[in-house]
Amino acid sequence: MIVFERRMEANALWTLSSFIMAIVAGLAASAVLIASTGANVPDVFGALLQGSVGSPKALATTLVKATPLILTGLATVIAFRAQIWSIGQEGQVFAGAMGGYLGAQLLAGLPPLLFFPGVLALGMAAGMGLGWIAAVLRNRFAVNEIISTVMLNYLVVYLLSWLLQGGPWGETGGTISYHQSPMLPDTAFLPALFGSSRLHAGVLLPFLAAAICALVMSRTPLGYEIRGLGYNPEALRHKGVDIARTVSVIMMASAALAALAGAIELFGVSHRLRADNLIGLGYAGIIVGMIGGLSR
């Protein structure tokens, strides 16, 4: 037991040291690049700090920008910890926004306490549908999830393009067709926090999601199955775990988190469907998850 505890302490120390070294190396590389342009390095770093957390407005903007990245990063952690290499976070973000927008039309008129949970749930359900498709393709037809999720990304993006460009959700003005949906009504905007025009209630959800993910990963049978699937799927199968079911649950849970990011962006930031507001959030989330060491 003592040896095991010491090994765990050593692993934790090594992980912390790795993060610190990565930060120092990143700052050093950035300093070299900045200096090569002739700019003053301390001034640039000071401006970066001031622009991100130097004022209440800057801090609010940072939190809003970080919200979808935290969620898509968590989606990456859930899947990659099980060695399920899903690259579908990008399409799932789009699906979440599309499902939420459809929900806003179906649930219009409901009180906020029912409307917002409803539209966010429909957005998550849309993403879970993509995760389920990829899981079925893997479980029944042995289709690699990297291929299926990337292909699904393209399908969802092109579907949104059709819906907005001449489709039923596109905004038109006279003879001009815009590549966006009409603006949502004010009642469909996520409530603002602390009287801020930027900071919306959706920024609280990533922290709640992170806490739930940590609890699930460390304290539940599903978390054990996720870790076991990543370490030794054959041992997990011999233990009697239904691998196909576990893969489906993991891919759908991961997709739900990514889709929630898209729905929050719609109701908290853009307030209309526009592809350019969503592009890159899923792929950036994969990087966030990897930088975090796939740690919950």
Side-chain angles (χ1 to χ4, degrees):
M1 178 62 74
I2 295 177
V3 173
F4 176 75
E5 291 178 352
R6 288 179 177 175
R7 182 175 298 177
M8 292 294 292
E9 291 175 359
N11 289 338
L13 182 60
W14 169 249
T15 300
L16 177 61
S17 300
S18 299
F19 286 153
I20 294 174
M21 288 188 293
I23 293 172
V24 172
L27 291 174
S30 299
V32 171
L33 291 174
I34 293 169
S36 68
T37 66
N40 184 284
V41 175
D43 287 347
V44 171
F45 282 148
L48 179 64
L49 188 63
Q50 181 66 26
S52 57
V53 295
S55 67
K57 181 179 179 180
L59 181 59
T61 301
T62 298
L63 288 172
V64 169
K65 293 289 186 182
T67 293
L69 300 181
I70 295 172
L71 288 169
T72 50
L74 286 172
T76 301
V77 170
I78 293 294
F80 282 21
R81 283 288 294 271
Q83 292 199 16
I84 297 174
W85 310 115
S86 171
I87 314 296
Q89 292 87 330
E90 184 80 358
Q92 291 152 10
V93 168
F94 277 73
M98 294 162 66
Y101 187 79
L102 176 62
Q105 296 177 328
L106 297 176
L107 305 179
L110 288 180
L113 287 178
L114 295 177
F115 176 81
F116 289 113
V119 295
L120 294 180
L122 285 173
M124 294 173 71
M128 290 172 69
L130 291 182
W132 177 78
I133 292 172
V136 169
L137 290 173
R138 169 176 162 145
N139 291 332
R140 295 193 178 181
F141 304 103
V143 176
N144 185 284
E145 64 271 14
I146 296 176
I147 297 173
S148 62
T149 52
V150 169
M151 295 293 287
L152 286 170
N153 286 347
Y154 283 105
L155 287 175
V156 174
V157 171
Y158 285 128
L159 175 60
L160 178 60
S161 179
W162 173 77
L163 288 169
L164 296 181
Q165 189 67 37
W169 287 354
E171 181 181 35
T172 58
T175 59
I176 300 176
S177 177
Y178 301 99
H179 203 75
Q180 61 186 20
S181 72
M183 184 72 74
L184 291 170
D186 292 350
T187 54
F189 294 9
L190 281 171
L193 297 177
F194 312 117
S196 170
S197 60
R198 295 173 179 265
L199 196 63
H200 55 77
V203 301
L204 303 176
L205 295 181
F207 300 100
L208 176 62
I212 293 173
C213 286
L215 180 64
V216 169
M217 291 292 291
S218 61
R219 303 294 182 184
T220 68
L222 177 59
Y224 168 79
E225 292 179 10
I226 292 173
R227 300 194 307 273
L229 190 60
Y231 291 136
N232 194 332
E234 285 303 317
L236 200 64
R237 182 179 288 108
H238 286 299
K239 189 174 176 61
V241 174
D242 186 339
I243 299 298
R245 178 193 63 82
T246 301
V247 167
S248 297
V249 170
I250 292 170
M251 296 191 77
M252 292 173 67
S254 172
L257 288 168
L260 179 59
I264 290 174
E265 281 296 291
L266 171 65
F267 294 103
V269 179
S270 62
H271 305 129
R272 67 166 83 222
L273 272 180
R274 290 183 58 178
D276 57 352
N277 290 337
L278 303 171
I279 289 175
L281 294 178
Y283 292 130
I286 296 175
I287 298 173
V288 169
M290 296 299 292
I291 291 176
L294 300 179
S295 174
R296 80 283 183 192

